[in-house]
Amino acid sequence: MRLTVVGAGYVGLVSACCLAEMGNQVCLLEHNPARLQALQQGRVPIYEPGLEALLQQVLNRQLQVTGNVSLALNEPELILVAVGTPSQADGNVDLSQLWQLAEAVQEHLRHPTVLVLKSTVAVGTGDALQAWFEQRAIPVQVVNNPEFLKEGAALEDFRRPQRILIGAEDAAAAAIVERLYVPFTRNQARVLHMRRREAEFSKYAANAFLASRISFMNELAELAEHVQVDIEAVRQGIGSDQRIGRHFIYAGCGYGGSCFPKDLRALSHLGRSQGLPLPLLSAIEQRNERQKQRLIDKLEALLGSHWYGKRVALWGLAFKPDTDDIREAPALVLLRALLARGATVQAHDPAAMPAVAERFPEAVASGQLQLCNEPYAALENAHALCLLTEWKLFREPDWLRVMQLLAEPRVLDGRNQYDPGQLATMGFVYLGIGRGGLASERRNRAAA
Ligand SMILES: NC(=O)C1=CN([C@@H]2O[C@H](COP(=O)(O)OP(=O)(O)OC[C@H]3O[C@@H](n4cnc5c(N)ncnc54)[C@H](O)[C@@H]3O)[C@@H](O)[C@H]2O)C=CC1
Ligand SMILES: O=C(O)[C@H]1O[C@H](OP(=O)(O)OP(=O)(O)OC[C@H]2O[C@@H](n3ccc(=O)[nH]c3=O)[C@H](O)[C@@H]2O)[C@H](O)[C@@H](O)[C@@H]1O
């Protein structure tokens, strides 16, 4: 098929490359000049495993990357929309990028087309957009087709989707979108047809449900600390029940990223706009905020409350492993607190350091934030090590070397990656998340 993808972010770039890989003729429209230039040279401006190799394989063959709006919107059979839909201050979703695109479609489109919303949009957006095009007699059918890929595993998720949701009011438009996915649904994926607003709602429901599991476990983790229970044992105890499942029940330092926080806010906003109290959704968000703050409490338990002049090592800054994305990353909450309270921070992250340097230029310039080019350099003379993102690189450290490098043998394990018994035996003071069942942790909490 001949299609245009608008927006070369995580979703648009991955979609464009994977659709091009299947033989479609794809035009990828991006208006950010730096991003555009990088892509045209075959460089991926974000960190996503495998993506750069795929881009180079399809670029200037099945995939054209352009900033030329008129070329991109002239006569594609399909337009896939993957522009950003960030939060507004009131929690509602900001659809300004989408409406700007609608204006561009009005100006440049010369043939009937199907406009497929892959961006996460407020419930009712597709209907509003459809009405807008109809009022102007522009031959566009709007379809909602939410994207469920995860950063860090985006290619795998796109190539092997578990389900494809097609939300449409027009059967012919739905059939065209379904045809696009035929190469991806041969094995297992189910294609589910529904109304446009049901697809929009389903996207929010999926993210809110996953976030609720994480907040649920984080809440129980705090309780576990008070009743001498290790939440890791509980995770295994419940995850083996197939009705519950093993995914998204890892206690940690709270969910971050560009989607869960903003989508929860948008769903709560929808409730408020309907005059409906939705206390369960509010609780998910409140717990998540508390969970990020708990990192600060825990570090105080390890270091005392005066951090001025202390040196703290951070392993991991991205909101999750295998990405350079730091949007709403839990690590930033602790990092800001450390900087505000006069500590020196030595950090390492395999991919997110450029983004952090851009976000905290003054701290980097003053030397208060040192971004180290390998994990062990971050440990030198530090008074504590905090693991905040569970990159594979941090899973099996050389603990003897860690002990030698740290000024004080203290470990805050924000992702429950380490064996507290082993660390206690070696002489580390260890704090994890919800690891109340461990004699060492009880002792350390009492001592702290
Ligand atoms: N990041 C993720 O893992 C996922 C994101 N989503 C949703 O997909 C949407 C996009 O997310 P991301 O890819 O993370 O966003 P992003 O912000 O990383 O990328 C959006 C891109 O669109 C470009 N853009 C905006 N308007 C444009 C226009 N008129 N013409 C050309 N380029 C334009 C921007 O310059 C930017 O490069 C959001 O609605 C998000 O909620 C859905 C599933 C997964
Ligand atoms: O709408 C979106 O943008 C995407 O949001 C999430 O994907 P993503 O944010 O990339 O990453 P996740 O793997 O879901 O992790 C989100 C956050 O939850 C945290 N998390 C995840 C799982 C868990 O058990 N515990 C936990 O704390 C992660 O550390 C991370 O901070 C969803 O998983 C995707 O299906 C969805 O398409």
Side-chain angles (χ1 to χ4, degrees):
M1 292 171 93
R2 201 167 24 75
L3 51 106
T4 285
V5 177
V6 185
Y10 290 86
V11 170
L13 183 54
V14 169
S15 308
C17 289
C18 291
L19 288 163
E21 184 185 25
M22 290 298 175
N24 295 290
Q25 278 307 318
V26 182
C27 175
L28 176 58
L29 176 65
E30 171 57 56
H31 66 186
N32 175 313
R35 206 164 253 214
L36 178 63
Q37 193 186 24
L39 290 169
Q40 286 175 331
Q41 292 168 353
R43 284 184 292 113
V44 168
I46 52 179
Y47 179 94
E48 184 61 47
L51 187 54
E52 191 157 278
L54 180 57
L55 172 70
Q56 289 169 4
Q57 179 189 320
V58 292
L59 186 63
N60 299 330
R61 295 183 181 93
Q62 301 96 307
L63 177 72
Q64 307 302 322
V65 183
T66 182
N68 184 329
V69 187
S70 125
L71 180 83
L73 298 181
N74 193 4
E75 48 173 11
E77 287 173 77
L78 275 174
I79 301 173
L80 266 64
V81 181
V83 300
T85 54
S87 279
Q88 292 178 168
D90 64 356
N92 197 5
V93 49
D94 174 357
L95 295 171
S96 54
Q97 296 182 32
L98 178 63
W99 286 106
Q100 277 166 21
L101 173 66
E103 303 270 357
V105 169
Q106 175 182 19
E107 192 180 336
H108 296 285
L109 189 76
R110 295 288 167 264
H111 290 271
T113 196
V114 178
L115 188 88
V116 185
L117 297 183
K118 292 201 76 63
S119 297
T120 304
V121 295
V123 177
T125 302
D127 291 354
L129 205 54
Q130 184 69 57
W132 189 90
F133 283 124
E134 280 169 12
Q135 277 157 16
R136 286 156 183 78
I138 303 165
V140 172
Q141 277 298 328
V142 179
V143 172
N144 188 277
N145 167 228
E147 180 51 59
F148 295 104
L149 63 78
K150 299 181 293 299
E151 289 179 26
L155 291 186
E156 173 68 14
D157 286 348
F158 194 94
R159 285 168 171 153
R160 273 180 264 282
Q162 289 182 4
R163 82 297 204 188
I164 304 286
L165 262 49
I166 300 178
E169 309 300 320
D170 178 89
I176 294 176
V177 179
E178 180 162 1
R179 192 149 57 83
L180 183 69
Y181 285 107
V182 167
F184 302 94
T185 52
R186 291 220 158 85
N187 287 342
Q188 51 158 5
R190 292 178 59 203
V191 177
L192 300 167
H193 289 274
M194 56 187 71
R195 289 175 53 221
R196 235 175 351 225
R197 52 178 60 225
E198 290 161 352
E200 291 164 347
F201 201 120
S202 299
K203 172 63 192 178
Y204 283 111
N207 275 359
F209 187 73
L210 293 171
S212 76
R213 289 167 65 96
I214 299 169
S215 277
F216 176 81
M217 288 307 280
N218 283 336
E219 189 146 303
L220 292 197
E222 185 165 5
L223 179 60
E225 288 169 10
H226 289 264
V227 293
Q228 295 86 52
V229 164
D230 184 357
I231 197 70
E232 287 302 303
V234 176
R235 177 176 64 74
Q236 289 170 14
I238 65 171
S240 45
D241 182 332
Q242 285 182 3
R243 293 170 304 173
I244 296 174
R246 296 178 190 284
H247 299 293
F248 283 80
I249 55 169
Y250 287 79
C253 37
Y255 59 77
S258 64
C259 290
F260 283 179
K262 103 171 150 57
D263 292 351
L264 263 289
R265 285 194 288 270
L267 204 50
S268 290
H269 182 277
L270 181 63
R272 283 198 301 282
S273 74
Q274 300 303 310
L276 273 185
L278 300 173
L280 188 52
L281 290 184
S282 307
I284 297 167
E285 293 182 85
Q286 281 163 19
R287 163 49 61 180
N288 199 52
E289 285 315 304
R290 175 162 170 73
Q291 202 65 17
K292 294 180 183 178
Q293 295 296 328
R294 291 196 76 219
L295 288 173
I296 299 173
D297 300 344
K298 283 179 179 282
L299 192 58
E300 279 186 353
L302 283 178
L303 283 185
S305 52
H306 297 293
W307 294 356
Y308 188 83
K310 297 274 194 222
R311 204 169 267 276
V312 175
L314 304 186
W315 276 2
L317 298 163
F319 82 97
K320 61 181 273 191
D322 293 321
T323 181
D324 58 348
D325 199 338
I326 57 166
R327 290 179 279 187
E328 307 211 28
L332 300 192
V333 174
L334 185 60
L335 174 56
R336 280 195 201 95
L338 284 161
L339 296 174
R341 289 158 72 166
T344 298
V345 179
Q346 302 173 162
H348 178 74
D349 185 288
M353 293 197 300
V356 170
E358 204 175 304
R359 185 80 68 90
F360 297 89
E362 287 169 13
V364 172
S366 70
Q368 198 190 352
L369 170 57
Q370 295 164 20
L371 297 169
C372 306
N373 56 13
E374 58 93 25
Y376 293 95
L379 302 179
E380 281 177 30
N381 295 319
H383 298 96
L385 161 63
C386 307
L387 176 82
L388 301 176
T389 316
E390 69 278 30
W391 286 89
K392 286 199 180 82
L393 178 68
F394 303 137
R395 296 248 176 104
E396 284 294 334
D398 175 347
W399 286 114
L400 285 175
R401 198 169 161 203
V402 174
M403 177 70 93
Q404 281 163 2
L405 288 166
L406 287 176
E408 302 281 351
R410 298 175 179 130
V411 176
L412 168 51
D413 179 1
R415 301 286 183 170
N416 288 351
Q417 291 295 297
Y418 302 134
D419 177 349
Q422 179 200 356
L423 264 65
T425 308
M426 293 184 75
F428 285 97
V429 181
Y430 171 92
L431 276 183
I433 308 290
R435 317 207 73 177
L438 306 151
S440 58
E441 169 118 351
R442 283 205 301 280
R443 204 170 46 242
N444 294 339
R445 280 169 57 80

